[in-house]
């Protein structure tokens, strides 16, 4: 069992972000700024990764890659960052494999995160959880709030309560991962690892799920409403 904490990470930043238009008309999704911070989503991510002990990150670019690359070149970043661009679409699994092959230490574990996730929790604790279970891959798991109000009823059909934006009864993939060095070789060259590699590892009991700690901040920035909500939450924390 390895207890080595990862010092390298892949950030998947190639998505089109069509649901975030018009913000993504002239920039990739991770370059959208959280209102009130003056920093794009990827800037918050890279700062967090550095705080958690990451020294090297590979950013996988796609849609409007040059905008992201220009920002990375000009920004004062707290870690070493390089970029890769897929010459042709490789799918989520193929893209992850292509980026991972550019990490500086092929024989060491690594983190990965989706480029539209804004979160804060201890990656070191997640890495320890991963090592304790001797997992090949570990997914962070979130319990998001349902965006609608819920209705509770009794057995007879009377409405007993209304609950505004309750937590989901299900855990979801939070888009943050710890991978053993061997995971790279299990990824498809082309296609989606969530339909191939992950189910196989789950059957073999080599896939672990790390629930985000109570109170940890997590939000996927998918729509303009998510940007507004993130800004509100930031303002509330600042009070």
């Amino acid at each position: 069992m390895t207890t080595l904490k990862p010092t390298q990470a892949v950030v998947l930043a190639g998505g089109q972000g069509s649901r975030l238009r018009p913000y993504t008309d002239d920039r990739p999704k991770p370059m959208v700024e959280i209102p009130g911070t003056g920093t794009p989503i990827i800037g918050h991510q890279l700062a967090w990764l550095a705080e958690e002990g990451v020294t090297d990150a590979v950013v996988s670019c796609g849609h409007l890659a040059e905008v992201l690359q220009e920002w990375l070149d000009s920004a004062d970043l707290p870690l070493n960052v390089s970029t890769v661009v897929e010459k042709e679409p490789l799918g989520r699994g193929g893209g992850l494999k292509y980026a991972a092959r550019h990490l500086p230490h092929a024989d060491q574990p690594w983190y990965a995160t989706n480029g539209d996730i804004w979160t804060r929790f201890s990656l070191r604790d997640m890495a320890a959880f991963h090592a304790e279970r001797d997992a090949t891959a570990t997914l962070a798991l979130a319990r998001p709030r349902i965006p609608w109000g819920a209705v509770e009823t009794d057995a007879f059909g009377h409405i007993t309560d209304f609950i505004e934006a309750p937590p989901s009864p299900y855990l979801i993939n939070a888009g943050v991962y710890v991978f053993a060095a061997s995971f790279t070789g299990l990824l498809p060259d082309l296609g989606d690892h969530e339909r191939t590699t992950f189910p196989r590892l789950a059957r073999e009991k080599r896939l672990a799920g790390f629930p985000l700690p109570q109170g940890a901040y997590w939000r996927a920035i998918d729509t303009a409403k998510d940007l507004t909500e993130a800004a509100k939450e930031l303002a509330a924390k600042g009070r």
Side-chain angles (χ1 to χ4, degrees):
M1 183 178 80
T2 179
T3 56
L4 194 66
K5 297 286 195 300
T7 59
Q8 53 187 1
V10 168
V11 180
L12 297 171
Q16 296 233 351
S18 53
R19 289 199 294 161
L20 259 175
R21 285 182 176 143
Y23 297 100
T24 50
D25 284 346
D26 62 352
R27 69 196 65 194
K29 196 176 184 183
M31 279 300 299
V32 174
E33 290 183 7
I34 306 292
T37 70
T39 303
I41 298 165
I42 195 164
H44 294 283
Q45 286 186 320
L46 293 172
W48 172 57
L49 290 170
E51 288 163 12
E52 293 295 324
V54 173
T55 57
D56 294 273
V58 175
V59 178
S60 178
C61 308
H63 175 63
L64 296 173
E66 64 283 356
V67 178
L68 179 49
Q69 289 170 321
E70 283 172 19
W71 183 83
L72 291 169
D73 286 343
S74 64
D76 183 17
L77 300 172
L79 71 176
N80 300 315
V81 177
S82 60
T83 61
V84 296
V85 182
E86 296 171 29
K87 295 178 181 65
E88 55 191 43
L90 300 173
R92 290 193 296 177
L96 190 59
K97 186 174 194 173
Y98 180 65
R101 284 181 166 157
H102 290 78
L103 289 167
H105 308 292
D107 60 340
Q108 293 180 19
W110 48 289
Y111 296 117
T113 180
N114 295 342
D116 58 356
I117 300 297
W118 191 28
T119 186
R120 285 292 185 278
F121 65 92
S122 174
L123 278 175
R124 291 179 175 91
D125 287 352
M126 184 176 171
F129 179 97
H130 169 83
E132 282 163 10
R133 283 146 190 83
D134 202 19
T136 301
T138 298
L139 286 60
L141 304 176
R143 195 181 294 279
R145 292 199 167 271
I146 296 170
W148 308 281
V151 177
E152 286 192 345
T153 62
D154 62 20
F156 195 66
H158 293 122
I159 291 175
T160 57
D161 202 3
F162 295 91
I163 306 163
E164 189 60 36
S168 166
Y170 297 104
L171 291 165
I172 67 160
N173 178 351
V176 181
Y177 312 90
V178 185
F179 296 133
S182 61
F183 179 76
T184 308
L186 302 176
L187 285 164
D189 293 321
L190 191 67
D192 188 350
H193 61 294
E194 296 195 10
R195 295 173 184 266
T196 55
T197 313
F198 279 174
R200 173 184 157 193
L201 290 176
R203 287 192 299 271
E204 296 170 357
K205 299 288 190 289
R206 293 195 288 154
L207 187 67
F210 175 77
L212 294 190
Q214 187 75 25
Y217 184 81
W218 180 88
R219 180 173 283 280
I221 308 293
D222 282 324
T223 64
K225 185 180 179 185
D226 291 322
L227 278 177
T228 307
E229 293 295 323
K232 278 187 200 166
E233 288 155 359
L234 256 187
K237 284 178 188 292
R239 281 204 294 267

